[in-house]
Amino acid sequence: MTLWQSIRPYLSGLVRFFHISYIEAKSEHRGTHLGIFWIPLSSLLFAAMLALVFHHADSMSVLEFFFYVFAGYIFWNFIADSITGSTDVIQGRFEFAIHNNLSLAGLFGKLLIDRLFAYLLNLAVLVILIAILSPWKLGVGLLLFFPFIALTVVTSLGTAYLVNMMTIFFPDLKALIAVGTRFMFFASPVFWSAAEGGGGVRGFLVKYNPAAYFLSLPRQVFGIEPIDAKAWLVAAIVSAVVCLVGYLAYHQSQGFVRNLK
């Protein structure tokens, strides 16, 4: 069996899931002139508002700060959806999985593709704006794009399953997780940076908040921040731990969460 024959079924499934995500997104915005482009447009408008309101430092121009906020905001949406969007997957998507002949892994994979579709749509707008307004930023960091996507995918998948397992055993955690995620939006460097505050509480949050390291990755890829090996190392370690714990949880949960066909 050739390599192509081995990977073809997975690529076919990936394309199928992305196509389904496109159809679902198009359906959600039917009746509008812009359609699915409302997804990046709403993110663009909100990020622009954050950039204008919270820009107060001399370390970045307004344009640079806008790129910083936009890159962080759209990736934060992906992170937040990986958490809050996974609190009741098994409890609430049973019929969807049966109807689409999906296994448990396939169900979580489908929801991951939904998140990726929205994120990549937002990311395309960011790249276009950088290419037009600050093309010199697009350099060697682009080589890190695929490692960034790989870390993002596996961490999101592991996080989603672990969150769902916790809410199965402790249903009240669903509300607590939603509140905690909103809190983390303000405690993470989405629209602020430790450099602006000269350390202090912001420096503490950047150092000990895992989300801060992940938020830095796309900014490094697209030249908004300089390459920082420490951020990649910490993100890789966090990703490895999440994936290992997620795999063990998946393996141990087979007794009561079996194939959903």
Side-chain angles (χ1 to χ4, degrees):
M1 181 178 292
T2 64
L3 178 62
W4 170 248
Q5 291 174 326
S6 300
I7 65 175
R8 182 176 179 180
Y10 298 100
L11 292 177
S12 178
L14 184 64
V15 171
R16 172 174 169 261
F17 279 158
F18 268 110
H19 185 244
I20 293 173
S21 296
Y22 166 73
I23 293 174
E24 290 176 345
K26 188 177 179 181
S27 177
E28 289 178 5
H29 295 86
R30 64 180 181 275
T32 64
H33 292 292
L34 294 180
I36 63 171
F37 292 105
W38 271 114
I39 297 174
L41 180 59
S42 60
S43 298
L44 180 65
L45 293 174
F46 191 75
M49 183 274 293
L50 288 175
L52 290 173
V53 170
F54 291 100
H55 179 262
H56 58 80
D58 296 329
S59 58
M60 296 185 193
S61 66
V62 174
L63 181 61
E64 290 174 332
F65 189 64
F66 166 70
F67 288 145
Y68 178 90
V69 173
F70 192 24
Y73 177 68
I74 62 176
F75 192 51
W76 173 258
N77 284 340
F78 180 88
I79 294 173
D81 195 29
S82 298
I83 299 171
T84 58
S86 304
T87 55
D88 60 355
V89 173
I90 295 173
Q91 302 96 311
R93 302 271 185 156
F94 185 81
E95 293 184 1
F96 174 85
I98 293 176
H99 178 73
N100 290 277
N101 197 31
L102 291 175
S103 66
L104 181 62
L107 176 59
F108 277 87
K110 163 62 175 63
L111 298 179
L112 170 65
I113 296 302
D114 289 344
R115 295 191 292 271
L116 271 178
F117 177 80
Y119 176 62
L120 292 176
L121 198 58
N122 282 316
L123 194 62
V125 173
L126 173 65
V127 174
I128 291 172
L129 289 176
I130 293 177
I132 294 174
L133 302 175
S134 300
W136 55 88
K137 290 184 179 295
L138 301 177
V140 68
L142 291 175
L143 298 175
L144 296 171
F145 177 74
F146 288 108
F148 160 64
I149 289 296
L151 280 175
T152 297
V153 166
V154 296
T155 308
S156 176
L157 200 57
T159 299
Y161 194 78
L162 289 174
V163 166
N164 205 173
M165 284 295 100
M166 289 190 294
T167 58
I168 287 177
F169 289 108
F170 307 101
D172 289 345
L173 281 178
K174 181 178 179 180
L176 185 61
I177 288 172
V179 173
T181 304
R182 288 196 295 270
F183 170 78
M184 287 300 295
F185 172 75
F186 296 98
S188 301
V190 177
F191 56 90
W192 55 264
S193 68
E196 293 178 347
V201 175
R202 290 184 178 184
F204 177 85
L205 290 172
V206 168
K207 185 176 182 179
Y208 294 104
N209 180 359
Y213 295 95
F214 280 92
L215 286 169
S216 177
L217 302 189
R219 290 165 173 159
Q220 294 180 40
V221 170
F222 299 106
I224 300 169
E225 287 185 355
I227 302 297
D228 181 7
K230 179 183 177 181
W232 290 89
L233 178 61
V234 172
I237 292 173
V238 172
S239 179
V241 172
V242 169
C243 290
L244 177 60
V245 177
Y247 172 79
L248 293 175
Y250 179 79
H251 180 73
Q252 294 297 323
S253 65
Q254 293 298 301
F256 66 94
V257 183
R258 296 184 181 277
N259 195 306
L260 296 182
K261 292 182 179 181

